[in-house]
Amino acid sequence: MIIKNGLVFGADCAFTARDVFIEHETIVEPYGLASDSEEFFDAEGDYVLPGFVDIHTHGAVNHDFCDADREGLETMLAWYGNQGVTSVVFATMAYPEPVIADAVRAAVPYLGKAGYGAVLRGVNMEGPFFSQNKRGAQNPDYLTYPDIGFFERISSLSQGYLRFVDLAPELPGAMDFIRGASNKCAVSLAHTEASYDIASAAFEAGATHVTHLFNGMPVFSHREPGVVGAAFDKAAFIEIISDGFHIHPAAVRAAFRMFGARRVCLISDSMRAAGMPDGEYEIGGQAVRVCDGKAVLAGETAAIAGSVVNLADMCRRAVRFGVPIEYAVQAAAPNPAIAAGLYHEVGSLDPGKRADIVIWDPELKMKAVFCAGKRIR
């Protein structure tokens, strides 16, 4: 199989006119001119992109990872793949340990397995180790202090597929937790009231990542730069939700300029209403109202409750907001793959990688999706 004549996104964060060669499920080195019988896809004038890698999504098409429902997992993975999101790391919410454990148990048979559309690449343990005052849509009834035993039990259940654990570093025991957990997965700062000094100490203890920058944390100030300032100095990666609701388009542009193209991870943070019409839904045991594409808790706080936008559309919106397409694609595929420890297999179109490929026309409309070299859309 050859994808011919496209503008191919490369490891240099730029597009080059060339062909992409696929054998079986893998991208391979060019091997000369194709024979007349060689199967090919003509991508002339189109963007040829690596499959998108969503490292922070809760659900879609009226299903949620924490439902612990295998039929729901299969439905979601098929939907993600159809959108061009070919690798997924599902995020939990703040729940009691048995609920999170059940979700992980249900996911284990799908971890790393092809054939469902997107590949489930792991788990992001978002909660319950968060600040009450910066909880956002996390259920306050389930928030607790960092517990390394809880973490290690979930990590063990995941069979090595726990990719991230999120916490507020100002909570009691957080620094010791970070030192222990960072040996097993990436530690991300989230839903926190931490000052610049506390956040800096957390990075020095082993944290490397920040969950949905600007959301669920103190504002960036010239006298107290907080988590944002500490992340600028010390984090390997930060996440951005570029739906236009969580942060202003100008803040999306500013984050890319501040952190550079190789430190930003676009995420969906999508919940079960993604791919569904406006209406009444649920997240983390709380009622959610979706109106005009914006999800908020139905209670008095009206906190934003995740997004209803898939990662491919997050990438498109970032471009519409003024982010160069090269930077947006870098933030939607290579960077999250690196952050999750997946770049040896996915996240680029280099030879030896799994042939997960998305083709967009010049207007950023979907033309085709290939998963492991097989066209699924």
Side-chain angles (χ1 to χ4, degrees):
M1 173 71 181
I2 304 175
I3 297 175
K4 301 179 67 173
N5 305 319
L7 297 171
V8 180
F9 185 80
D12 58 352
C13 192
F15 288 98
T16 303
R18 64 179 179 87
D19 298 341
V20 176
F21 293 74
I22 302 167
E23 284 188 355
H24 305 298
E25 301 179 353
T26 304
I27 297 168
V28 298
E29 295 281 2
Y31 47 80
L33 297 175
S35 68
D36 292 339
S37 62
E38 181 100 42
E39 182 184 3
F40 71 92
F41 182 98
D42 189 356
E44 184 171 3
D46 297 327
Y47 294 112
V48 180
L49 316 174
F52 297 119
V53 180
D54 195 347
I55 57 174
H56 186 154
T57 174
H58 299 278
V61 287
N62 212 24
H63 296 281
D64 186 281
F65 175 62
C66 287
D67 293 344
D69 173 27
R70 293 185 180 181
E71 181 179 349
L73 287 172
E74 293 183 15
T75 300
M76 288 189 287
L77 291 172
W79 182 81
Y80 288 116
N82 190 58
Q83 310 308 309
V85 182
T86 54
S87 291
V88 173
V89 176
F90 274 121
T92 68
M93 291 287 288
Y95 271 120
E97 183 175 345
V99 175
I100 296 175
D102 284 347
V104 173
R105 287 192 191 96
V108 164
Y110 298 92
L111 289 165
K113 301 295 194 303
Y116 300 99
V119 175
L120 177 51
R121 298 288 180 178
V123 176
N124 182 337
M125 188 176 172
E126 190 190 9
F129 311 132
F130 293 147
S131 161
Q132 285 280 352
N133 291 331
K134 292 292 183 181
R135 65 182 181 270
Q138 300 286 340
N139 194 320
D141 294 341
Y142 304 134
L143 299 184
T144 188
Y145 293 156
D147 181 337
I148 195 68
F150 183 168
F151 162 80
E152 288 179 343
R153 289 187 292 273
I154 298 301
S155 178
S156 178
L157 280 175
S158 78
Q159 300 182 11
Y161 281 86
L162 187 61
R163 304 290 182 181
F164 300 89
V165 63
D166 307 37
L167 85 167
E170 73 275 16
L171 296 178
M175 296 301 168
D176 285 341
F177 180 99
I178 293 168
R179 281 186 280 269
S182 59
N183 293 319
K184 293 189 175 181
C185 70
V187 177
S188 187
L189 307 190
H191 294 284
T192 171
E193 298 179 272
S195 65
Y196 172 87
D197 289 341
I198 292 174
S200 295
F203 290 122
E204 291 166 4
T208 58
H209 198 89
V210 177
T211 300
H212 44 54
L213 192 79
F214 302 123
N215 297 116
M217 63 190 62
V219 297
F220 176 67
S221 165
H222 62 296
R223 290 197 177 94
E224 177 43 74
V227 177
V228 177
F232 176 75
D233 284 346
K234 299 177 183 296
F237 294 101
I238 57 95
E239 299 173 357
I240 288 288
I241 307 172
S242 58
D243 60 355
F245 298 121
H246 281 78
I247 59 176
H248 192 278
V252 175
R253 294 191 297 271
F256 275 89
R257 291 171 183 168
M258 186 175 181
F259 287 87
R262 295 188 182 272
R263 296 175 68 195
V264 179
C265 296
L266 291 175
I267 60 166
S268 72
D269 198 16
S270 65
M271 45 85 71
R272 67 172 71 243
M276 301 292 292
D278 286 357
E280 305 296 322
Y281 297 92
E282 175 273 342
I283 190 170
Q286 302 170 102
V288 174
R289 182 185 307 110
V290 179
C291 183
D292 295 330
K294 182 179 181 180
V296 298
L297 292 183
E300 294 180 1
T301 63
I304 296 178
S307 89
V308 300
V309 179
N310 68 74
L311 180 59
D313 281 338
M314 290 290 183
C315 186
R316 291 185 182 96
R317 291 188 187 195
V319 175
R320 290 206 303 269
F321 295 160
V323 175
I325 186 172
E326 296 88 345
Y327 291 7
V329 173
Q330 181 74 29
N335 292 353
I338 295 167
L342 299 169
Y343 193 65
H344 62 288
E345 187 173 358
V346 297
S348 78
L349 300 178
D350 295 331
K353 298 289 182 73
R354 188 176 190 265
D356 291 347
I357 301 170
V358 172
I359 299 177
W360 280 356
D361 73 12
E363 303 302 317
L364 311 188
K365 295 178 181 178
M366 184 74 74
K367 290 192 70 173
V369 179
F370 295 83
C371 286
K374 179 182 179 181
R375 187 173 180 180
I376 65 169
R377 176 173 173 176

